Amino acid sequence: MDASDLLRNSLLQLSKQEKIRDVIEKAPVSRSVVKRFVPGADRADVVAAASEIAESGRRSTIDYLGEDTTDLAQAQHTRDAYVSLLTALRDEGLTEGGTVEVSLKLSALGQALPGDGNAIALDHAREICDVAKQAGTTVTLDMEDHTTTDLTLDALRELRADFPTVGAVLQAYLYRTEADCRDLAHAGSRVRLCKGAYKEPESVAFQAGSEVDKSYVRCLKVLMQGEGYPMVASHDPRLIEIAGALAGQAGRDPRSFEYQMLYGIRPEEQKRIADRGDQMRVYIPYGQEWYGYLMRRMAEKPANVMFFLRGVATKN
């Protein structure tokens, strides 16, 4: 394991540490630094960010932060937050044609609740999908750690029966993902391929960054050669170049796939890709529960750690 892999694993461990989270969340500098990655805690903040992105020719998908909910009231609150968000986006004319969609984590909607957690989360997701459809847009189901992969794919199949445009997310660091790509590379299927941002055991996932990259390319080949709609979620210039080459080899129209990047990371490159005529979608998170999200973003790209530390040094 090289130094970058060690740092990545350490950051993923920190994402679960309650005491460290409390220190960082209470630090005066944190909020101002985090604003690069999270536009704000309130609906108005994220609607404004999505509007600005749309004006630049980019699309977006919005995530209301939170996961591993074990309280029914909180799961219901998350559902209501998405319903209110979609209504606000529709009123601003941002949902037409899928310009802005939303991304859901089933664990935030109650999947981990005892007893009927899966059914509760699915019902909440179905309500959100219905509102999204009425607003003229759609939903993508975020993927979480490997213990929920099958449950998430089961929910995807259930939701697609009534809402066929619901998107899936697959994580290249899991050994199983190439086969999952084959299963989902069919007409009408929307699949976001990312590297993966959770700490997973060696029994289920590649540990070295180089092996994850190789898996990403193999999975991308499957998706580009399939009949679905690939969503290339990466900030890696080399992988983005490979994605374009694979799309060209497959004879894909630029409108038959898209690139995706996170809010606050490589914004100028995002604009460049959109300006050249390719579709670019920005993943925008918002809400109070930003700590775990931030730690995973830094783990994905350790250079982001330096940005955070520079911010701390500047403010202190």
Side-chain angles (χ1 to χ4, degrees):
M1 181 180 294
D2 62 23
S4 62
D5 290 331
L6 181 61
L7 177 58
R8 176 180 183 277
N9 288 337
S10 297
L11 289 166
L12 290 174
Q13 291 281 13
L14 285 177
S15 72
K16 301 292 186 181
Q17 297 296 316
E18 298 276 342
K19 291 182 179 179
I20 300 296
R21 183 189 67 187
D22 290 343
V23 170
I24 292 179
E25 286 186 344
K26 291 174 182 175
V29 64
S30 295
R31 290 291 175 172
S32 60
V33 174
V34 168
K35 278 188 73 68
R36 170 176 169 175
F37 302 100
V38 182
D42 300 325
R43 182 173 65 244
D45 298 322
V46 76
V47 171
S51 180
E52 181 179 349
I53 285 169
E55 289 173 2
S56 72
R58 293 170 289 166
R59 297 175 167 237
S60 59
T61 184
I62 298 176
D63 170 31
Y64 181 68
L65 291 170
E67 56 189 276
D68 298 330
T69 298
T70 55
D71 178 75
L72 177 58
Q74 181 58 39
Q76 293 169 335
H77 170 77
T78 298
R79 175 204 59 198
D80 295 344
Y82 274 108
V83 169
S84 298
L85 171 64
L86 284 162
T87 301
L89 291 168
R90 181 201 62 197
D91 292 346
E92 292 293 324
L94 291 169
T95 53
E96 187 175 349
T99 298
V100 182
E101 61 146 39
V102 296
S103 289
L104 312 178
K105 286 184 174 59
L106 290 174
S107 75
L109 295 173
Q111 188 180 58
L113 291 170
D116 297 329
N118 284 319
I120 290 169
L122 185 60
D123 285 344
H124 287 165
R126 188 175 281 112
E127 291 179 63
I128 296 166
C129 287
D130 188 50
V131 175
K133 181 180 179 180
Q134 293 177 41
T137 190
T138 190
V139 166
T140 296
L141 290 187
D142 275 336
M143 193 62 76
E144 302 180 67
D145 70 73
H146 79 280
T147 64
T148 63
T149 300
D150 284 324
L151 291 173
T152 302
L153 292 178
D154 288 344
L156 177 74
R157 284 186 284 271
E158 291 270 355
L159 291 170
R160 281 185 172 174
D162 296 316
F163 308 99
T165 61
V166 172
V169 177
L170 296 176
Q171 302 174 108
Y173 64 0
L174 296 180
Y175 301 143
R176 61 174 289 169
T177 299
E178 190 173 352
D180 288 333
C181 285
R182 292 194 185 93
D183 290 341
L184 291 174
H186 54 78
S189 178
R190 297 167 57 249
V191 180
R192 176 195 301 155
L193 180 66
C194 63
K195 289 186 179 181
Y198 293 83
K199 181 169 175 56
E200 300 285 14
E202 190 172 359
S203 58
V204 300
F206 298 105
Q207 301 298 302
S210 60
E211 292 302 318
V212 175
D213 287 352
K214 291 175 184 176
S215 175
Y216 193 99
V217 173
R218 291 193 300 270
C219 293
L220 198 53
K221 285 181 180 178
V222 173
L223 294 176
M224 287 296 185
Q225 291 169 3
E227 298 181 358
Y229 182 86
M231 299 181 283
V232 184
S234 177
H235 308 99
D236 187 327
R238 188 169 50 89
L239 292 179
I240 291 170
E241 183 178 354
I242 290 171
L246 291 173
Q249 291 171 14
R252 281 188 169 271
D253 184 283
R255 292 168 296 182
S256 70
F257 72 101
E258 67 184 42
Y259 297 93
Q260 295 191 355
M261 292 187 185
L262 298 170
Y263 181 82
I265 299 182
R266 304 193 74 202
E268 293 307 313
E269 177 64 7
Q270 294 177 15
K271 294 175 186 175
R272 188 187 73 80
I273 290 173
D275 289 345
R276 75 187 185 194
D278 287 320
Q279 296 193 106
M280 166 57 66
R281 191 178 299 274
V282 183
Y283 187 101
I284 316 175
Y286 81 106
Q288 297 284 352
E289 300 295 322
W290 52 263
Y291 173 76
Y293 174 86
L294 176 65
M295 290 296 107
R296 290 195 296 275
R297 295 300 71 81
M298 291 197 291
E300 285 177 332
K301 186 176 175 63
N304 290 333
V305 177
M306 294 309 299
F307 171 83
F308 186 82
L309 293 178
R310 281 197 301 270
V312 172
T314 301
K315 295 292 182 180
N316 284 346

